[in-house]
Amino acid sequence: MVDIGTREGLRIAIQQAGYYPDLVAETLETALAGEPVESFVVHHEPHFDRDELRRHVSVLVLTPTRLIVGHSDEYPSDDAHGSPYATTSTEAVPLARVSSVVVSRTVPSPASHQVGDRPLDVVLTVGWGAMSRIDLEPATCGDPDCEADHGYTGTVTSDDFTLRVSEAGDGMTRVDDMLTFARALSAATVQVR
């Protein structure tokens, strides 16, 4: 198991993901700017795009002052690029800006669930106000025969970053790592308020 509270642990996890490790590590080192690593999660996600295998890696790193969100994607050659290429980016979010940390779990047999039982999957959604999702639906008055236009109703949800890991797709170690990271991020955002 990788120590998820150290810079060396982060480097090992990036190497284990096997997705352009030097590129991903270099990008994160730039964003970390010398700060220590308190917790992290690395998620490599291969998927098919038509008939091609594409890969993507997301890395979340918690420092004493910031949440670093890194993404790296690869692309096939195209008219502008004669060979396959990758793009990588990081965003450094001050912890004081993190407005929500949502952790959703799917558990089997909820009637027999006991403290410490592991979930099948974990979804982490972090909001800091850069992006929001608006869900609208027609408003109603409750009268099933009413044909009046009551406008719309809806919700605005902070939805800057969402990451899902599952036992079936990623293994229980990755699910445990996600829960550890979610706890650390939640604790860090409490401390900055």
Side-chain angles (χ1 to χ4, degrees), residues 11-193:
R11 188 192 64 71
I12 290 168
I14 291 169
Q15 289 286 337
Q16 288 176 345
Y19 178 84
Y20 304 123
D22 291 338
L23 175 63
V24 172
E26 178 183 31
T27 302
L28 287 168
E29 279 299 322
T30 301
L32 285 167
E35 274 198 291
V37 171
E38 293 193 342
S39 188
F40 64 85
V41 65
V42 176
H43 185 253
H44 177 227
E45 183 178 4
H47 63 278
F48 285 98
D49 182 11
R50 297 189 183 122
D51 60 345
E52 294 183 36
L53 176 65
R54 299 284 264 318
R55 298 185 302 163
H56 172 86
V57 69
S58 297
V59 182
L60 298 173
V61 182
L62 179 63
T63 75
T65 63
R66 299 175 300 149
L67 169 65
I68 309 294
V69 181
H71 299 283
S72 298
D73 292 286
E74 70 178 352
Y75 300 94
S77 59
D78 56 26
D79 293 340
H81 302 89
S83 62
Y85 64 100
T87 62
T88 185
S89 64
T90 56
E91 183 171 1
V93 181
L95 289 176
R97 295 264 330 268
V98 175
S99 57
S100 67
V101 178
V102 180
V103 182
S104 301
R105 306 170 193 219
T106 303
V107 297
S109 307
S112 62
H113 181 82
Q114 296 183 11
V115 173
D117 286 353
R118 292 174 156 163
L120 298 173
D121 68 27
V122 175
V123 179
L124 174 66
T125 302
V126 183
W128 55 87
M131 295 177 64
S132 295
R133 182 181 68 235
I134 300 174
D135 294 317
L136 294 175
E137 60 184 40
T140 63
C141 66
D143 178 357
D145 297 323
C146 181
E147 294 182 18
D149 182 355
H150 295 286
Y152 289 88
T153 186
T155 58
V156 177
T157 307
S158 180
D159 193 15
D160 294 307
F161 183 82
T162 299
L163 184 62
R164 176 184 179 267
V165 294
S166 69
E167 177 184 13
D170 305 296
M172 190 48 71
T173 299
R174 294 294 171 250
V175 172
D176 290 344
D177 290 349
M178 178 71 95
L179 289 171
T180 299
F181 181 82
R183 281 186 207 99
L185 180 58
S186 292
T189 57
V190 167
Q191 294 173 4
V192 296
R193 300 285 178 226

